[in-house]
Amino acid sequence: MGQFIAKLSTVALLGLAVLPALGLTQAAQAASPEPAVLAHIPVGDLDLSRPDQARLLKARIDTAAAVVCDARIQAERLDRWSAKACLIDVRDEVQSKLSAPQLRALRSVGG
C-alpha cells in the first residue's frame, strides 16, 4: 500500500508541474494579438481646392479602407454587417486626422 501511495503522489506531483507550463503557452498565445493593418494615405501632393483632386483624395481613402477591411475580414472572418462597420470606422478615423480645410474639400465631393 505504501508503494501505491508513493507512485500516486509522484504522478500527481508531475501532473501539477505540467499545469503551469500549459498556462504559460496559452498566455503567450493570448498575448500576441494579430498585428493591426495600417494604411498610409498621401495628401501632400494634392491641391484640394480643385474638385478633381478632392475626388482623388476620396478615392484614396476608399481604397485604403477597402485594403484594411479586407485584411480584417480574412483574419477575423467578419460578417457583412461588421465589414460595413469596418469601412465606416476607417473612413471616420481618416476624417478625424484631416485638417478643417481638407475635411471641407472632402465633404464638398461627397466624402
Side-chain angles (χ1 to χ4, degrees):
M1 182 78 164
Q3 268 187 331
F4 175 73
I5 298 286
K7 286 182 181 178
L8 184 63
S9 296
T10 303
V11 169
L13 186 59
L14 289 175
L16 289 175
V18 171
L19 286 177
L22 288 174
L24 288 176
T25 58
Q26 289 176 351
Q29 289 174 353
S32 59
E34 290 291 321
V37 179
L38 301 177
H40 176 74
I41 304 169
V43 295
D45 62 331
L46 300 175
D47 177 9
L48 297 178
S49 65
R50 297 175 44 201
D52 61 322
Q53 297 280 304
R55 278 191 289 280
L56 183 56
L57 174 60
K58 182 180 181 314
R60 288 179 183 179
I61 292 170
D62 292 343
T63 302
V67 168
V68 169
C69 293
D70 284 346
R72 283 196 59 207
I73 289 167
Q74 295 299 318
E76 301 173 27
R77 302 192 188 285
L78 298 180
D79 60 16
R80 192 172 19 165
W81 292 101
S82 299
K84 184 67 174 170
C86 177
L87 290 171
I88 293 168
D89 288 345
V90 171
R91 288 182 187 128
D92 287 348
E93 179 69 22
V94 170
Q95 288 179 5
S96 74
K97 305 279 189 243
L98 296 175
S99 67
Q102 291 171 331
L103 191 56
R104 273 194 304 277
L106 184 63
R107 287 187 178 151
S108 73
V109 294

